[in-house]
């Protein structure tokens, strides 16, 4: 595929140079040398109309092929409570755009062929048509207003970070080039933090004088209890990052010097998501690719690749530096009982400070 793209781009570059050379030669043609100027005739116009029609048909054939051939590149079903509404809004918007695109581009290419220039033929011209202007103004206004209103209500619902449903409070801390997580402990309240407090074992800058932070737990994996709302607090140590959790349809910018937040409820256990038909087939395809690559590596004397296993993950969706691609963190969605058991095995900030002093 890469080789094909390189050849395609090279061909386009050559065609562009050729066309530019023709424009330059035409520009140099003396004004009184009428015979030297290329004037399109009926045959030229017909061929150009045919090319437009062929291009339009090819465009739609390629589009349909891509939708079918690359359907497994789409995200699977959402694993959060708000994800279904998000996907519905995205799907409706895409359908509306595709309908308009197919109609307008289809008519453009068809009309270019059907009404190509012919000698002596004059185009029908409307100086003014109030009905047409009303239709092509009113219809987009109504459709866009509907999409915007639905999007606004959905946005307000998704971004509502109230505490009425007793969410679990978790901090996601970004730095070049990785993530750390801070759990709010038994009191479900995060202690104050500031990068100025970062020193030694205090890697997230938790205020050592704030009692709310003593039971906080710092980890390298994001564990979430299923079906419980989670309120995420995001901080950045250095540059602008973006916390992206695609399977939960969640993304929030992580801005230096301020705390941003996002709340969602995970609804599917990690183990259940792994066993879905979509993920089972996707993992099989990935491992087949890795198996073929491993054979090449072994022949070359390198180590074979490990089999791929699906996990939820947290990514950085901002290009934040040379090792941006390394900013990945495993997310584990488990039962609340398993989550509490796991949390009990973790070291609190109070114990971390005590161990550092000893």
């Amino acid at each position: 595929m890469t080789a094909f793209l390189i050849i395609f781009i090279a061909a386009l570059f050559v065609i562009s140079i050729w066309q530019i050379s023709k424009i330059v030669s035409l520009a140099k043609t003396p004004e009184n040398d009428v015979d030297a100027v290329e004037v399109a005739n009926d045959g030229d116009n017909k061929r150009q109309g045919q090319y437009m029609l062929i291009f339009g048909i090819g465009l739609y054939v390629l589009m349909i092929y891509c939708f079918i051939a690359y359907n497994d590149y789409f995200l699977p079903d959402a694993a959060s409570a708000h994800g279904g509404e998000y996907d519905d809004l995205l799907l409706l918007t895409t359908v509306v755009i595709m309908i308009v695109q197919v109609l307008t581009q289809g008519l453009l290419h068809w009309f270019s062929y059907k009404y190509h220039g012919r000698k002596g033929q004059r185009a029908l011209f409307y100086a003014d048509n109030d009905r047409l202007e009303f239709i092509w103004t009113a219809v987009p206004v109504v459709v866009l207003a509907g999409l915007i209103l639905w999007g606004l209500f959905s946005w307000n619902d998704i971004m509502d970070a109230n505490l009425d449903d007793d969410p679990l409070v978790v901090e996601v801390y970004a730095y070049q080039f990785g993530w750390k997580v801070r759990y709010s402990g038994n009191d479900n309240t995060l202690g104050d933090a500031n990068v100025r407090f970062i020193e030694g074992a205090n890697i997230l800058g938790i205020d050592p004088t704030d009692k709310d932070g003593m039971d906080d737990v710092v980890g390298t994996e994001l564990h979430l209890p299923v079906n419980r709302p989670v309120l995420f607090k995001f901080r950045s140590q250095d540059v602008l990052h973006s916390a992206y959790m695609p399977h939960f349809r969640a993304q929030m910018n992580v801005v230096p010097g301020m705390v941003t937040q996002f709340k969602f409820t995970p609804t599917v256990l990690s183990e259940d998501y792994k066993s879905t038909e979509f993920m089972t087939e996707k993992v099989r395809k990935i491992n087949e690719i890795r198996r073929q690559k491993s054979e090449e590596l072994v022949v070359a004397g390198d180590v074979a690749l490990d089999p791929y296993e699906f996990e939820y993950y947290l990514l950085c969706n901002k290009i934040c530096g040379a090792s941006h691609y390394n900013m990945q963190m495993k997310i584990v969605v488990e039962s609340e009982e398993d989550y509490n058991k796991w949390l009990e095995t973790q070291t609190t900030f109070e114990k971390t400070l005590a161990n550092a002093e000893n």
Side-chain angles (χ1 to χ4, degrees):
M1 179 60 74
T2 303
F4 171 76
L5 287 175
I6 293 174
I7 294 172
F8 182 69
I9 293 172
L12 289 178
F13 179 75
V14 171
I15 293 173
S16 299
I17 296 298
W18 174 55
Q19 291 294 334
I20 291 173
S21 66
K22 291 183 65 176
I23 293 173
V24 172
S25 64
L26 287 173
K28 292 181 178 180
T29 302
E31 293 183 3
N32 56 356
D33 191 359
V34 180
D35 295 333
V37 179
E38 296 185 17
V39 178
N41 54 37
D42 287 352
D44 295 327
N45 292 333
K46 184 176 181 180
R47 279 192 298 273
Q48 294 300 321
Q50 292 170 341
Y51 294 157
M52 284 287 286
L53 184 61
I54 294 171
F55 179 83
I57 294 173
L59 176 68
Y60 289 117
V61 170
L62 180 62
M63 180 182 70
I64 294 171
Y65 168 79
C66 289
F67 272 114
I68 296 173
Y70 300 105
N71 68 87
D72 59 344
Y73 282 77
F74 297 127
L75 283 173
D77 292 338
S80 62
H82 75 272
E85 183 176 4
Y86 174 96
D87 287 346
D88 290 343
L89 179 57
L90 179 62
L91 177 62
L92 177 62
T93 304
T94 303
V95 169
V96 171
I97 291 174
M98 290 304 298
I99 291 174
V100 174
Q101 189 266 347
V102 168
L103 287 176
T104 55
Q105 293 297 315
L107 289 175
L108 172 66
H109 289 86
W110 169 247
F111 285 169
S112 297
Y113 166 72
K114 182 175 177 60
Y115 300 108
H116 62 267
R118 297 181 181 88
K119 187 175 181 180
Q121 177 176 280
R122 300 175 67 97
L124 181 62
F125 175 75
Y126 288 97
D128 189 22
N129 192 312
D130 293 338
R131 179 177 297 177
L132 283 178
E133 291 182 6
F134 175 79
I135 292 173
W136 66 52
T137 302
V139 172
V141 166
V142 172
V143 174
L144 289 176
L147 289 175
I148 291 171
L149 286 175
W150 186 12
L152 182 62
F153 284 116
S154 298
W155 172 262
N156 289 335
D157 186 40
I158 292 171
M159 295 303 296
D160 182 14
N162 66 73
L163 305 178
D164 298 340
D165 48 6
D166 187 30
L168 173 68
V169 181
V170 176
E171 179 184 78
V172 176
Y173 185 81
Y175 61 94
Q176 292 177 309
F177 294 95
W179 302 95
K180 288 288 189 296
V181 183
R182 180 161 61 113
Y183 301 89
S184 51
N186 294 327
D187 60 2
N188 201 30
T189 302
L190 290 168
D192 292 336
N194 194 296
V195 292
R196 295 184 180 89
F197 294 122
I198 296 177
E199 183 180 6
N202 190 1
I203 57 177
L204 297 191
I206 304 172
D207 187 349
T209 65
D210 187 353
K211 294 181 179 180
D212 289 335
M214 291 298 105
D215 63 345
D216 290 356
V217 172
V218 177
T220 56
E221 285 187 354
L222 183 51
H223 285 247
L224 304 175
V226 70
N227 294 325
R228 180 176 178 184
V230 182
L231 177 60
F232 294 91
K233 303 283 187 175
F234 299 100
R235 281 196 304 138
S236 173
Q237 177 176 302
D238 33 55
V239 300
L240 181 66
H241 300 277
S242 184
Y244 179 43
M245 294 169 271
H247 299 95
F248 304 100
R249 309 301 192 264
Q251 178 171 310
M252 177 56 64
N253 284 341
V254 189
V255 185
M258 66 181 296
V259 177
T260 54
Q261 62 182 20
F262 192 95
K263 189 177 78 170
F264 71 79
T265 303
T267 56
V268 184
L269 296 169
S270 293
E271 293 302 320
D272 291 343
Y273 208 86
K274 291 179 184 179
S275 60
T276 60
E277 182 180 352
F278 182 94
M279 288 313 307
T280 301
E281 179 62 17
K282 192 172 186 70
V283 169
R284 186 195 65 78
K285 290 181 179 180
I286 292 174
N287 280 327
E288 177 60 23
I289 295 172
R290 293 174 74 87
R291 185 192 63 78
Q292 295 175 6
K293 182 64 177 178
S294 293
E295 292 178 354
E296 298 175 4
L297 292 174
V298 170
V299 170
D302 293 327
V303 179
L305 300 173
D306 294 330
Y308 168 75
E309 294 184 5
F310 169 80
E311 297 288 352
Y312 291 129
Y313 47 80
L314 164 67
L315 302 171
C316 177
N317 213 19
K318 287 284 189 296
I319 301 178
C320 56
S323 296
H324 154 76
Y325 62 92
N326 282 327
M327 293 190 64
Q328 302 181 32
M329 175 183 281
K330 178 182 175 181
I331 302 176
V332 179
V333 179
E334 54 199 352
S335 66
E336 186 136 13
E337 181 182 0
D338 289 340
Y339 169 79
N340 291 330
K341 288 180 180 179
W342 171 85
L343 192 62
E344 290 174 0
T345 65
Q346 305 303 301
T347 304
T348 63
F349 179 60
E350 185 177 21
K351 292 181 180 179
T352 299
L353 290 181
N355 292 337
E357 292 175 359
N358 298 332

